């Protein structure tokens, strides 16, 4: 294998590892955001009424 081929192979390998790392980091970040968000959490935050007017949410608190 010539020097140029080795250099190109190294460059392609580094680029592949970079993109794989970036994609896996984004994927794990999205999954962690989904785990932190509970099913009723978003509805409670968007509700104009306090939790005391919604018995199901008041019991959960």
């Amino acid at each position: 294998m010539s020097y140029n081929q080795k250099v190109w192979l190294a460059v392609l390998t580094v680029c592949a590892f970079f993109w794989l790392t970036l994609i896996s980091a984004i994927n794990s970040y999205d999954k962690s955001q989904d785990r932190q968000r509970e099913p009723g959490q978003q509805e409670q935050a968007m509700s104009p009424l306090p939790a005391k007017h919604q018995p199901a949410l008041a019991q959960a608190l």
Side-chain angles (χ1 to χ4, degrees):
M1 209 191 265
S2 71
Y3 176 76
N4 284 344
Q5 288 175 329
K6 289 179 184 178
V7 169
W8 277 111
L9 182 61
V11 168
L12 290 175
T13 303
V14 168
C15 287
F17 279 123
F18 170 77
W19 286 112
L20 286 173
T21 304
L22 184 68
I23 290 169
S24 65
I26 291 171
N27 190 26
S28 66
Y29 177 76
D30 287 340
K31 286 182 181 178
S32 70
Q33 292 298 317
D34 289 341
R35 270 188 247 122
Q36 288 177 359
R37 217 177 294 129
E38 293 180 12
Q41 187 178 8
Q42 188 175 13
E43 291 133 14
Q44 180 184 3
M46 296 179 69
S47 174
L49 299 174
K52 66 181 180 181
H53 295 294
Q54 299 174 1
L57 288 177
Q59 289 175 356
L61 297 175

